[in-house]
Amino acid sequence: MADSSTSLQVDVWRGGEHGGYQTFQVPRRASQTVLDVVTHIQHHQDATLSYRFACRVGMCGSCAMQVNGIARWTCRTHVSKVCTNGRLQLAPLSNLPVIKDLVVNMDSFFDKMQAARGRFKGGHTRHEPVALVKPDSPARQKVEAGIECIGCGVCYSSCDVVSWRPEFLGPAALNRAWTLINDERDIDGRSRLAAVAGDAGCHSCHTQGSCTVRCPKHLSPTASIAGLKNMTARAARRGELDMETASGDL
């Protein structure tokens, strides 16, 4: 076996859902990221290796994959922080269908954003004055806490509830719904609240907090989901949840 101080043994998932690991020896370098390792393999050892990346600086999230069993952005993950005994294991994100190698199909992730009504719906036209939101208002502060999500899928891949119940909307979709419900310019809050109150919505969350622990942006989907649980419960007591309308509009 090669010296672990000068090389890395990298086990990379190859193929689709029923594929397997292939081992590569990669030179160890200073300040090396996991994305650097994957790129080296594709450029110098196997050009057929499939993976995603774009910005390389932690802005797009497209390079996310499992590193030693934990979902991470590979462009911001240094080998020195995660390497164990000169060895790395790289796999595609879990809870999503594998297309090939380290590439997953994100359709279900974004479909759930849609199911949670994760789109802004305003009541003003472009001909009206711009709506002003006080930055220090309580509602705006709740939005601020979760608005930086870029949809990388790390929280979704880390969620055990999604693994157990594939229909669960997941932390990213519910976090998005929470930010929109607290946006005073949005007029779709009532339907959105009903959309996330169903059997696959916020009340299915077990509050394990994996999404919050793994979020590269240091957001707390756990807190957002707790807010939705509280809000949907109060709306239900007041008789304000129109579940049939919400499901019919999706």
Side-chain angles (χ1 to χ4, degrees):
M1 181 179 295
D3 184 353
S4 61
S5 64
T6 59
S7 68
L8 297 167
Q9 182 171 317
V10 188
D11 300 322
V12 182
W13 184 264
R14 305 304 306 274
E17 295 284 352
H18 304 291
Y21 287 98
Q22 181 180 356
T23 302
F24 298 89
Q25 295 292 336
V26 178
R28 190 80 177 258
R29 305 188 189 283
S31 302
Q32 187 177 31
T33 67
V34 175
L35 184 58
D36 291 334
V37 170
V38 179
T39 302
H40 178 89
I41 292 172
Q42 190 199 56
H43 286 187
H44 301 286
Q45 299 185 41
D46 189 342
T48 68
L49 176 62
S50 297
Y51 65 105
R52 286 193 180 113
F53 75 96
C55 73
R56 302 182 71 94
V57 293
M59 294 181 64
C60 71
S62 59
C63 67
M65 61 185 76
Q66 290 191 88
V67 182
N68 291 346
I70 296 174
R72 300 177 182 273
W73 290 352
T74 55
C75 71
R76 297 291 293 270
T77 301
H78 283 79
V79 171
S80 60
K81 301 291 186 180
V82 296
C83 186
T84 303
N85 298 322
R87 189 164 191 166
L88 288 174
Q89 184 186 78
L90 307 180
L93 292 176
S94 58
N95 297 332
L96 292 162
V98 180
I99 296 175
K100 180 179 180 288
D101 301 339
L102 302 172
V103 179
V104 295
N105 186 328
M106 300 285 288
D107 284 355
S108 59
F109 175 80
F110 291 112
D111 286 345
K112 288 178 180 179
M113 287 277 193
Q114 177 75 1
R117 304 186 79 89
R119 61 197 183 278
F120 177 84
K121 185 176 181 180
H124 290 185
T125 70
R126 68 180 63 188
H127 305 294
E128 298 176 81
V130 175
L132 300 178
V133 178
K134 293 182 179 180
D136 58 348
S137 67
R140 177 60 197 180
Q141 293 303 310
K142 292 177 181 178
V143 172
E144 194 73 29
I147 203 170
E148 294 298 325
C149 173
I150 62 172
C152 67
V154 165
C155 65
Y156 190 87
S157 176
S158 303
C159 180
D160 287 332
V161 180
V162 175
S163 300
W164 304 328
R165 299 189 58 186
E167 70 275 15
F168 177 51
L169 290 175
L174 293 171
N175 177 74
R176 173 63 175 163
W178 173 247
T179 63
L180 289 171
I181 283 173
N182 285 287
D183 190 330
E184 59 192 81
R185 301 165 302 171
D186 184 273
I187 62 172
D188 201 27
R190 188 163 178 169
S191 295
R192 186 176 297 109
L193 205 60
V196 302
D199 189 50
C202 60
H203 295 285
S204 291
C205 173
H206 290 196
T207 320
Q208 292 176 302
S210 299
C211 53
T212 298
V213 171
R214 301 299 176 203
C215 177
K217 299 286 286 185
H218 306 294
L219 306 182
S220 179
T222 307
S224 299
I225 294 170
L228 288 175
K229 288 179 178 180
N230 182 279
M231 192 173 284
T232 54
R234 286 189 282 115
R237 288 197 300 269
R238 294 193 296 262
E240 296 175 356
L241 285 181
D242 188 352
M243 307 295 288
E244 292 185 5
T245 300
S247 61
D249 287 348
L250 296 179

